[in-house]
Amino acid sequence: MTSPHAHAGPHAHRATSGPSGVTRRRVLYGTAAAGAATVLPAAAHAATGRGRRTVAVLGGGMAGLAAAHELVERGFAVTVFERRALGGKARSIPVEGTGSGGRRDLPGEHGFRFFPGFYRHVPDTMRRIPFPGNSAGVHDNLIALSSTRISRNAGRSDIIVPQLPASGGGLDLDVLKETLTGLVQQAAAIPASELALFVDRYLVYLTSSAERRLGEWEHVPWWKFVRAEGRSGDYRAIVARFLTRGLVAVKEEVASTRTVGAMGEAFLLAGLGLGADGGLARMLDAPTNEAWIDPWVRHLRDRGVRFEVGQAVEALETGGGRVRSVRVVDAAGRRRSAAADWFVCAVPVDRAWTLLSPDVLALDPGLATMRNLRTEWVNGLQFFLRRSPRGLDQEVNFMDSPWQITAVLQSRLWDRDFSRDYGDGQVADCLSLDVSDWDTPGILYGKPAKKCTRAQIAKECWAQMKDHLEDTGRSVLPDDLVHSWFLDPAITWRPSDGSNANDEPLMVNTVGSWANRPGARTRIPNLFMAGDYVRTNVDLATMEGANESGRAAVNALLDAAGSPAERVPVWKLYQPPELDGLKRLDAQRYRSGLPNLFETVPG
């Protein structure tokens, strides 16, 4: 099925929440700026900032880089302050000292990069980042995810989404057999009455108005919405647990139905080709830094962005009802103040909390609600393999794993020869994991990941994958396959209390969290917020949400500055017009205190 808007251009379904009209003044300004950049590109790129309004972007992750990109394109002098490494949670992390013989260090990651088809902001930015040989910049480094396995344990058949050959040659019959068997098993495992219940609940969400989604479903946990209490184990595992911990990394008892439902809807529509930039999902064809982050930083430097890496933002210094400067500190403890006209706070939420001093809150008391936001852990682990395992697909979801593990086999995605390009020549592949549940006891040590040493985490993850892939007696992951492993260095073991700390947690969408999240514009006239915790249309702590928030911060800054520059495009999640009538009816029913028309199961 093809949406009538699927080819409507990059700005289709743009949000109307901010200024999006094109005035004559903006057209003239943009034309003049484009002409000047064409005639005098060297002068434009060599500007030192004298006479230009300055912006300090605090944080060099997804939100900060997106904001810097849009600001420098609109003529601002931009400096980005980053405490650790550019790219934030999306960066690659080289495993130091592992490269030899002219090879690069093995490529570790905070977690593998996954780009759902409904992402619009990140792909738009990627198209504007030059990459040698690519007509659409780094966007051309995205490849369609064509093979996914939903793996079950205890001898149950896996569900496989097989690769469809472009030549139309046909399917692998063994794969097709296992897929059909798995689908039948899943359907049979859940009683018919519970399948009907889930269909009913899904229809309720799909036909709910925006008013009901924000006013009611924002405050209802997904567990309660799908009526999981007292249902079968498979219903709870698939409908309640997997769709929350496995897909949006938040526990089903506290996950906002508004967020989980919106993500399920977005995936469904993208699979149907509606409101999607590409297919159902895509991934990069190389380590993130090589395919995306490094070219992005080079491009921004070429445009004039200054990067101050190793400078942690310690405080916002106020005066005269505004932010005067920021105090930054380096690894040696040296402190200094940096002034600017405008400030975009794009540090993660756990870092932003530390900036909410009494002076800052006196200027905008509403920012205090950010302290009510909740974080969880989603971190990566890579197994570097001596040879590529047989029978593994591009991406595997280990549905019944206590730690809600998902993994990708990089040889199926990356255009790289591992033994030639990385490490000591003995590594042929990489199995890259995301671990989404750090609080549930594992199967080897009976402890949650937060209570396991780094070595125990690696052994536990390996065992949980084998529990799924080798439950029918076949050998998929023999132990001698492992050359080495690498756990995200944000995870650090504390022997004093026998637990881990996490330097880079993730904000999660719990019930009622929307009210506690800041908007892009604050009551402080020259301070703007960006980050995956800021209110966005995508409403999920993701790369997409971070990018959208950076754009929203820039639009708010442009408004405050009275800039004639063209506003940054912002998209809403696609909503099928075929459901508009039912949603209008639901809005009336909601205002009248009545349930959704499809609500057949009492709460």
Side-chain angles (χ1 to χ4, degrees):
M1 182 182 300
T2 302
S3 163
H5 305 288
H7 306 291
H11 302 330
H13 311 298
R14 186 180 297 183
T16 57
S17 57
S20 59
V22 180
T23 66
R24 181 173 181 271
R25 182 177 62 164
R26 289 182 190 166
V27 170
L28 293 175
Y29 178 92
T31 302
T38 301
V39 176
L40 299 171
H45 292 172
T48 62
R50 183 179 300 173
R52 298 164 67 197
R53 286 175 289 186
T54 58
V55 183
V57 176
L58 316 181
M62 287 294 99
L65 292 178
H69 194 150
E70 303 301 343
L71 285 165
V72 77
E73 285 191 349
R74 287 159 177 78
F76 288 84
V78 182
T79 300
V80 176
F81 296 91
E82 166 56 39
R83 74 182 180 99
R84 172 171 287 185
L86 297 172
K89 297 181 182 69
R91 72 191 186 279
S92 302
I93 308 172
V95 187
E96 292 185 8
T98 56
S100 63
R103 302 177 192 86
R104 284 165 281 183
D105 286 338
L106 291 169
E109 299 175 287
H110 173 82
F112 63 80
R113 300 295 99 217
F114 180 79
F115 300 78
F118 59 82
Y119 279 16
R120 304 300 300 277
H121 302 91
V122 168
D124 176 71
T125 298
M126 292 176 119
R127 287 186 175 94
R128 294 183 282 128
I129 303 170
F131 193 90
N134 289 359
S135 60
V138 301
H139 185 275
D140 285 349
N141 294 335
L142 290 173
I143 61 174
L145 186 65
S146 57
S147 177
T148 299
R149 177 186 294 262
I150 301 175
S151 188
R152 303 299 307 271
N153 64 2
R156 292 171 289 196
S157 289
D158 298 346
I159 300 173
I160 303 170
V161 180
Q163 181 173 354
L164 300 175
S167 62
L171 298 175
D172 183 298
L173 291 180
D174 290 335
V175 168
L176 180 59
K177 179 180 178 181
E178 185 169 8
T179 300
L180 293 175
T181 301
L183 287 170
V184 170
Q185 283 184 348
Q186 304 315 308
I190 300 178
S193 60
E194 293 182 356
L195 286 174
L197 169 65
F198 178 64
V199 171
D200 169 78
R201 305 312 298 152
Y202 204 62
L203 284 175
V204 166
Y205 188 85
L206 288 177
T207 58
S208 287
S209 60
E211 294 93 329
R212 189 183 298 278
R213 292 186 183 192
L214 182 59
E216 184 174 0
W217 303 140
E218 167 69 13
H219 304 281
V220 175
W222 181 252
W223 176 270
K224 182 177 180 181
F225 178 78
V226 297
R227 311 289 194 263
E229 191 66 37
R231 308 299 172 186
S232 67
D234 277 293
Y235 184 86
R236 294 196 303 271
I238 299 170
V239 171
R241 191 165 191 257
F242 176 69
L243 292 181
T244 53
R245 302 186 191 211
L247 294 184
V248 295
V250 60
K251 295 178 178 63
E252 59 276 12
E253 296 92 345
V254 298
S256 161
T257 290
R258 176 173 178 258
T259 298
V260 179
M263 290 303 97
E265 179 182 39
F267 272 110
L268 172 66
L269 295 174
L272 296 174
L274 300 172
D277 176 82
L280 180 62
R282 291 168 293 184
M283 304 192 77
L284 291 166
D285 64 359
T288 310
N289 278 20
E290 295 180 33
W292 181 18
I293 304 301
D294 290 346
W296 197 2
V297 172
R298 283 195 299 270
H299 175 61
L300 295 182
R301 278 201 174 105
D302 289 344
R303 295 297 300 263
V305 175
R306 294 179 59 239
F307 291 99
E308 298 280 352
V309 179
Q311 302 290 322
V313 178
E314 192 175 56
L316 300 175
E317 299 173 324
T318 62
R322 303 166 66 85
V323 175
R324 283 190 298 106
S325 56
V326 292
R327 188 171 71 243
V328 297
V329 58
D330 64 16
R334 294 183 292 259
R335 289 173 170 81
R336 63 185 176 90
S337 291
D341 298 318
W342 311 94
F343 297 84
V344 176
C345 181
V347 297
V349 67
D350 57 306
R351 302 285 166 185
W353 290 334
T354 67
L355 303 180
L356 300 180
S357 67
D359 288 342
V360 171
L361 292 179
L363 297 176
D364 189 347
L367 292 175
T369 61
M370 287 169 51
R371 290 174 174 158
N372 298 325
L373 296 174
R374 179 168 171 174
T375 61
E376 294 283 357
W377 296 16
V378 184
N379 296 75
L381 169 71
Q382 289 79 49
F383 287 102
F384 298 107
L385 309 178
R386 300 181 188 278
R387 57 190 181 276
S388 295
R390 300 179 61 184
L392 272 191
D393 307 270
Q394 288 178 330
E395 195 250 358
V396 185
N397 292 275
F398 297 93
M399 181 180 288
D400 302 297
S401 59
W403 292 359
Q404 287 300 295
I405 296 170
T406 53
V408 296
L409 188 61
Q410 300 293 21
S411 64
R412 302 275 196 258
L413 298 162
W414 287 356
D415 182 21
R416 295 290 186 274
D417 183 327
F418 256 89
S419 59
R420 180 196 67 201
D421 297 339
Y422 303 105
D424 60 2
Q426 303 301 310
V427 175
D429 211 334
C430 174
L431 191 58
S432 185
L433 282 61
D434 277 352
V435 180
S436 299
D437 188 333
W438 291 72
D439 296 300
T440 299
I443 64 175
L444 270 189
Y445 303 102
K447 297 187 296 184
K450 287 180 179 178
K451 295 290 185 179
C452 289
T453 65
R454 296 173 70 85
Q456 288 174 338
I457 289 172
K459 291 178 180 178
E460 182 74 57
C461 287
W462 192 257
Q464 290 185 31
M465 290 191 296
K466 287 170 72 79
D467 181 54
H468 284 68
L469 297 173
E470 300 185 351
D471 56 332
T472 57
R474 62 179 179 170
S475 177
V476 180
L477 297 177
D479 292 342
D480 69 345
L481 208 63
V482 179
H483 170 279
S484 55
W485 52 266
F486 177 74
L487 178 63
D488 183 353
I491 303 296
T492 54
W493 176 250
R494 298 180 299 200
S496 59
D497 63 0
S499 67
N500 287 300
N502 189 346
D503 191 50
E504 295 186 286
L506 179 74
M507 197 283 292
V508 292
N509 297 65
T510 55
V511 290
S513 60
W514 180 264
N516 295 319
R517 293 162 62 185
R521 188 164 192 170
T522 74
R523 293 176 62 181
I524 303 174
N526 66 335
L527 176 66
F528 308 89
M529 303 300 295
D532 55 18
Y533 54 94
V534 173
R535 292 181 181 181
T536 58
N537 293 305
V538 74
D539 188 36
L540 186 68
T542 56
M543 296 183 296
E544 177 76 351
N547 187 298
E548 182 187 340
S549 75
R551 291 164 178 252
V554 171
N555 283 339
L557 190 156
L558 294 174
D559 289 345
S563 171
E566 180 71 18
R567 270 34 179 184
V568 188
V570 175
W571 289 266
K572 291 183 177 179
L573 290 173
Y574 179 82
Q575 296 294 306
E578 295 84 357
L579 297 179
D580 286 351
L582 288 170
K583 290 179 180 179
R584 284 193 294 269
L585 174 61
D586 184 68
Q588 296 172 4
R589 293 177 64 87
Y590 177 68
R591 288 191 290 268
S592 300
L594 297 173
N596 181 275
L597 187 65
F598 291 92
E599 189 79 69
T600 61
V601 181

